[in-house]
Amino acid sequence: MADAAAAPVGTVRCYVGNLSWAVDDETLKAHMETVGTVVSSNVMRKGDGRSKGCAIVEFSTAAEAAKAKAELTDTELEGRKIFVREDKEPAGAFAAGPSKVASGTPGTSLYIGNLAWEVTWQDLKDLFTDKGVVYADVKFGRDGRSRGWGIARFETPEQAASVIAEFNETEYMGRKLAVREDKQG
């Protein structure tokens, strides 16, 4: 199986979550091939080899990836309803271990709280686009609904501090944001 860093140019990656620990690369690939050509499927694993319950699947076209999101989200695989979304990490972020974006440099990761329910990761990234944002995500519960908070990572601690100063307690999409350093990331 090809690793994510060696993917052919033009492929489109999807993140697949809520996988049963019994799902392996081949089982996932067979399930995803119902909507298009799968270039690779890679179930993420812990150091001891156990599944993390999520995977990266690469399709040969954007249309196939969009079809996977539309048709395979909430389908059952090995007894669990999976979800499929666009992968937001850079290619290879999981294949070679922690990367700057995946783990973050100390002081560059921010918690963004009190988000309106309709805010997406793209909205967050757009909000901070001229502030050096390299990653943005909104957290969702198992029911697929927003949890009302997200994470944004920046190139430098100075950029992150600037975002805290500028955006903490400012209104965005009808809600007053809570912006602080993310102590987890």
Side-chain angles (χ1 to χ4, degrees):
M1 155 150 44
D3 100 25
V9 175
T11 61
V12 182
R13 296 174 336 132
C14 290
Y15 175 90
V16 182
N18 201 35
L19 293 175
S20 162
W21 290 342
V23 172
D24 61 15
D25 296 342
E26 291 306 312
T27 304
L28 179 61
K29 184 175 182 178
H31 186 73
M32 303 304 278
E33 282 179 329
T34 61
V35 296
T37 302
V38 173
V39 175
S40 70
S41 66
N42 185 11
V43 174
M44 293 180 218
R45 303 211 172 265
K46 298 178 184 179
D48 63 5
R50 289 184 301 155
S51 171
K52 290 184 177 183
C54 56
I56 300 297
V57 175
E58 292 185 74
F59 288 93
S60 60
T61 68
E64 291 170 339
K67 189 174 180 183
K69 289 189 296 187
E71 295 183 17
L72 296 179
T73 293
D74 290 331
T75 59
E76 194 170 300
L77 180 61
E78 297 286 331
R80 306 259 329 238
K81 278 191 174 183
I82 65 169
F83 67 86
V84 182
R85 67 168 165 82
E86 176 183 350
D87 180 38
K88 295 176 264 205
E89 292 290 341
F94 297 106
S99 70
K100 179 180 174 190
V101 173
S103 62
T105 301
T108 61
S109 185
L110 300 182
Y111 165 90
I112 316 295
N114 200 33
L115 294 173
W117 303 122
E118 64 271 13
V119 172
T120 67
W121 71 268
Q122 189 67 56
D123 293 327
L124 272 188
K125 197 156 188 178
D126 291 347
L127 180 64
F128 303 129
T129 195
D130 61 342
K131 304 295 181 191
V133 67
V134 293
Y135 171 85
D137 195 18
V138 173
K139 300 303 177 180
F140 289 85
R142 289 182 181 235
D143 60 1
R145 296 186 318 184
S146 171
R147 294 182 65 195
W149 64 276
I151 300 296
R153 292 193 187 104
F154 298 85
E155 294 173 4
T156 68
E158 294 78 19
Q159 289 169 327
S162 165
V163 168
I164 292 171
E166 184 175 339
F167 289 93
N168 188 43
E169 296 192 11
T170 60
E171 191 170 307
Y172 179 66
M173 295 181 103
R175 306 281 299 264
K176 192 178 276 194
L177 296 179
V179 182
R180 62 172 168 74
E181 187 173 342
D182 176 31
K183 292 172 180 46
Q184 303 290 316

